Amino acid sequence: MGGSDTHLSDQIGTPQTVVWAEELGAEAILAGLRAGRCWIAGSATIDLAVTARAGDRTAGVGEGLLTEGEPVAVEIEVHGVATGSIGPAVDVRGPGGGASARKRSRNGSTP
């Protein structure tokens, strides 16, 4: 969840939590938060799309992806940011529920 404790008018609403909800209502927004269909943005102009693929299976923000041991490719598309960086938070659960993750650069090497 993103929020601010600012007292300056030009900083109110920075950052903000964006929730993918079925409708604009308290229950739908809370369901989106519980399902992990949310992200933090620096302004309302930022749009985000995330797709993870393993074989012929895909998943988006807040969705699970059964990999069946296949490699996972993640595509992150961001619009509305002139400069800056993104920092994905990834929950990767291996066999037995343990977590493991590995970053790869654009050319496929491990940094």
Side-chain angles (χ1 to χ4, degrees), residues 55-85:
D56 61 351
R57 296 168 303 283
T58 63
V61 173
E63 297 177 327
L65 178 63
L66 181 62
T67 66
E68 296 180 356
E70 294 186 56
V72 178
V74 178
E75 180 179 292
I76 302 173
E77 190 174 329
V78 181
H79 297 275
V81 179
T83 62
S85 63

Side-chain angles (χ1 to χ4, degrees), residues 7-107:
H7 301 278
L8 305 172
S9 62
D10 62 336
Q11 293 180 346
I12 294 175
T14 304
Q16 54 191 277
T17 301
V18 180
V19 181
W20 289 347
E22 297 292 324
E23 61 185 54
L24 186 57
E27 289 303 315
I29 292 169
L30 289 172
L33 287 169
R34 287 185 196 106
R37 294 187 311 265
C38 53
W39 50 283
I40 300 171
S43 77
T45 64
I46 299 171
D47 190 26
L48 174 76
V50 177
T51 305
R53 289 184 178 77
D56 61 351
R57 296 168 303 283
T58 63
V61 173
E63 297 177 327
L65 178 63
L66 181 62
T67 66
E68 296 180 356
E70 294 186 56
V72 178
V74 178
E75 180 179 292
I76 302 173
E77 190 174 329
V78 181
H79 297 275
V81 179
T83 62
S85 63
I86 58 171
V90 180
D91 181 7
V92 180
R93 297 175 194 263
S100 63
R102 182 172 55 179
K103 291 184 178 182
R104 290 197 175 270
S105 68
R106 203 165 176 68
N107 67 8

